[in-house]
Amino acid sequence: MSKHLPPGQRQIEHILRWGKDHPGITKVLPKIDLANWTLIFEGEITMPLKMNWTDFLKLPKITSRSDFHCVEGWSVLDCEWEGVSFKFLSDLVKPKDTAKYVFFECADGYSTSLLLTDVFDDDVLLAYKLNGNDLEEGFGGPLRLIVPKKYAYKSTMWITKIIFLSKNKLGFWENKGYSDTANVSDNDRFSTQR
Ligand SMILES: Nc1nc2c(c(=O)[nH]1)N[C@H]1C(S)=C(S)[C@@H](COP(=O)(O)O)O[C@H]1N2
Ligand SMILES: [Mo]
């Protein structure tokens, strides 16, 4: 028996893979070379940080089981993500009091933003494994954000930069009319609902 699904969602077995099963915003998969990979933290923080892949893998890791919901109506239940807690990373870079939002930039030009208080939840992480396997490029590898309570357009693939902001800046789909709050349990899909 399947678990209770949020309003308007249907269950599928596996997360859809970029390009093959699911379109992205670009026609080509961004090429990511781990030897040159960096993750940058900047903006309203006291300890700006640039990490390489080796440094990132040394950080304490967590696993988190959660459900994944695309705004187009498909959900995958019980995904096991492994990576680094967003709250842990935020504590490293020490947000200033002025930091209220966080903006995520990605290798394909995609972006999203979230309230800092939303990404401090225990189940929010930067993930490099899904169900025990290294995250494939087609699933956003080497590193993607996972924010289970929000529609998956908030869970950015191929993260490159994390910018702490005092004022909100809308991301790619939010600028095109999708909800900025994107709360799955409220069926909160389009900005006109707010
Ligand atoms: N960088 C980036 N992240 C992204 C997207 C994208 O096009 N580019 N699409 C979003 C959307 S709409 C969904 S449903 C999920 C899809 O993740 P999946 O390809 O692993 O199923 O990624 C989200 N994150
Ligand atoms: Mo989506």
Side-chain angles (χ1 to χ4, degrees), residues 148-165:
K149 292 178 188 68
K150 307 286 182 180
Y151 287 114
Y153 60 88
K154 295 283 186 182
S155 290
T156 50
M157 304 193 272
W158 315 299
I159 290 192
T160 54
K161 199 185 266 190
I162 300 178
I163 311 170
F164 291 68
L165 298 172

Side-chain angles (χ1 to χ4, degrees), residues 85-98:
S85 144
F86 187 85
K87 181 65 169 67
F88 177 87
L89 289 161
S90 177
D91 288 347
L92 273 185
V93 299
K94 300 196 176 15
K96 297 179 181 168
D97 289 346
T98 46

Side-chain angles (χ1 to χ4, degrees), residues 168-184:
N168 196 15
K169 180 175 166 192
L170 293 180
F172 183 89
W173 284 123
E174 296 87 338
N175 260 318
K176 294 184 166 34
Y178 283 93
S179 170
D180 192 31
T181 40
N183 289 314
V184 172

Side-chain angles (χ1 to χ4, degrees), residues 22 74 78 84 88 102 114 116 130 153 168 180 187 189:
H22 188 252
W74 53 268
D78 256 336
V84 179
F88 177 87
V102 64
L114 284 144
L116 256 194
L130 169 59
Y153 60 88
N168 196 15
D180 192 31
N187 208 6
R189 296 170 197 261

Side-chain angles (χ1 to χ4, degrees), residues 101-143:
Y101 297 89
V102 64
F103 188 80
F104 295 86
E105 290 183 359
C106 310
D108 60 343
Y110 189 79
S111 58
T112 198
S113 68
L114 284 144
L115 264 173
L116 256 194
T117 49
D118 283 331
V119 281
F120 286 169
D121 288 348
D122 285 349
D123 57 1
V124 176
L125 72 164
L126 296 190
Y128 44 65
K129 282 191 180 199
L130 169 59
N131 300 328
N133 303 312
D134 285 346
L135 204 58
E136 287 176 34
E137 251 187 328
F139 297 141
L143 192 71

